[in-house]
């Protein structure tokens, strides 16, 4: 299995809702990432997990809460979002992001989030 | 931190012509340079990458060159086809003291191949 999967594909939520995005990979990768991507812009890093521990939080507002239950799964919990949080949320994974080697990073298909 | 600049922001070529996209980076410690292709509504897809121990890498119609001294790298697509139309992102990564590696992306190039 050489794929990163994400659910749901689309999500519409109100500003008072709580929802979660899910990401899964079965490539044995030990680094997983959440990115936010606005139209016609590059992916913007939000969080990095390395060996199931949060290693990078790019000053993301607390209304976004990541979770890594095990080495194959990554969740992003959403609460009290704002309309400007509407974007494509991409998950990615790589073999590792520590040590001497650089490893390829593979993206999931993304969740298109609309906050109303 | 790392800063990656990408040019041009848009590029139109006739089918069969070549396309070149250029990126520069700021951190001399960066040693890995991937290129991603993103079609409308799809995920970024890794199409080629290069590590700092080589100057050029080719895969069929796609090639990437790296000049470490000048801190720039380029994507070359030959014999372009309409299905090459997409947004292309360059990125750079390298060891960061006390931190995990992360990709820094360029701003993207919208390539349009005209039939």
């Amino acid at each position: 299995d050489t794929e990163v999967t994400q659910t749901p594909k689309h999500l519409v939520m109100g500003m008072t809702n709580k929802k979660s995005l899910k990401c899964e990979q079965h490539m044995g990768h030990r680094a997983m990432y959440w990115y936010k991507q606005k139209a016609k812009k590059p992916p913007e890093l939000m969080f990095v997990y390395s060996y199931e521990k949060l290693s990078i939080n790019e000053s993301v507002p607390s209304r976004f809460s990541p979770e890594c239950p095990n080495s194959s799964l990554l969740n992003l919990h959403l609460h009290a979002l704002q309309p400007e949080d509407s974007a494509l949320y991409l998950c990615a994974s790589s073999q590792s992001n520590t040590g001497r080697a650089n490893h390829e990073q593979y993206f999931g298909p993304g969740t298109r989030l609309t906050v109303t | 931190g790392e800063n990656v600049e990408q040019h041009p922001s848009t590029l139109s070529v006739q089918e069969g012509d070549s396309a070149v996209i250029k990126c520069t980076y700021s951190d001399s410690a960066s040693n890995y340079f991937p290129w991603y292709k993103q079609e409308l509504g799809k995920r970024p897809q890794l199409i080629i990458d290069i590590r700092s121990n080589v100057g050029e890498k080719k895969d069929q119609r796609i090639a990437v060159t790296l000049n470490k001294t000048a801190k720039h790298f380029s994507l070359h697509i030959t014999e372009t086809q309409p299905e090459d139309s997409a947004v292309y992102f360059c990125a750079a990564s390298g060891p960061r003291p006390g931190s995990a590696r992360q990709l820094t992306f360029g701003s993207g190039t919208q390539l349009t191949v005209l039939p």
Side-chain angles (χ1 to χ4, degrees):
Chain A
D1 189 349
T2 57
E3 201 173 305
V4 179
T5 59
Q6 289 186 244
T7 55
K9 284 190 170 59
H10 301 275
L11 178 62
V12 179
M13 61 185 289
M15 290 189 283
T16 58
N17 291 159
K18 282 186 183 182
K19 296 285 184 184
S20 296
L21 309 184
K22 295 185 184 306
C23 174
E24 192 165 359
Q25 57 86 14
H26 294 289
M27 295 180 277
H29 288 176
R30 302 311 299 272
M32 295 185 78
Y33 311 79
W34 279 116
Y35 290 87
K36 173 182 177 180
Q37 188 179 30
K38 292 280 205 178
K40 300 186 187 300
K41 297 289 187 186
E44 181 185 330
L45 185 67
M46 300 174 72
F47 302 104
V48 180
Y49 274 82
S50 186
Y51 292 83
E52 295 135 66
K53 287 186 173 20
L54 183 65
S55 61
I56 296 177
N57 174 343
E58 292 285 21
S59 304
V60 179
S62 59
R63 57 186 185 269
F64 295 91
S65 174
E67 179 197 18
C68 189
N70 61 55
S71 60
S72 300
L73 291 174
L74 187 65
N75 298 323
L76 186 63
H77 303 296
L78 314 172
H79 173 55
L81 295 193
Q82 305 295 310
E84 59 265 28
D85 296 322
S86 298
L88 180 67
Y89 287 83
L90 292 161
C91 173
S93 72
S94 65
Q95 186 174 332
S96 173
N97 59 7
T98 58
R100 298 175 68 87
N102 279 288
H103 297 283
E104 298 88 347
Q105 203 172 116
Y106 297 99
F107 285 85
T111 294
R112 176 75 59 190
L113 174 67
T114 304
V115 181
T116 61
Chain B
E2 176 65 278
N3 182 48
V4 177
E5 295 195 356
Q6 183 172 346
H7 299 281
S9 57
T10 61
L11 178 60
S12 291
V13 299
Q14 288 296 134
E15 183 176 356
D17 287 350
S18 295
V20 180
I21 302 170
K22 298 183 179 184
C23 289
T24 59
Y25 62 98
S26 60
D27 190 341
S28 55
S30 289
N31 57 3
Y32 174 63
F33 307 93
W35 285 88
Y36 287 87
K37 173 185 180 183
Q38 188 173 26
E39 296 174 71
L40 192 62
K42 301 261 180 87
R43 75 185 82 193
Q45 186 175 10
L46 179 67
I47 56 170
I48 196 167
D49 57 15
I50 191 166
R51 288 172 171 79
S52 59
N53 57 344
V54 298
E56 183 175 0
K57 184 176 176 180
K58 284 184 82 168
D59 182 3
Q60 299 183 333
R61 296 186 296 110
I62 294 173
V64 57
T65 58
L66 171 65
N67 182 326
K68 283 192 299 181
T69 305
K71 287 192 271 190
H72 66 70
F73 57 112
S74 300
L75 178 71
H76 304 253
I77 306 174
T78 58
E79 300 170 28
T80 52
Q81 299 165 4
E83 51 265 37
D84 294 329
S85 296
V87 178
Y88 291 79
F89 293 103
C90 64
S93 174
R96 302 282 182 266
S99 179
R101 284 193 184 75
Q102 59 190 83
L103 291 177
T104 301
F105 285 89
S107 54
T109 296
Q110 172 69 63
L111 173 65
T112 303
V113 179
L114 305 168

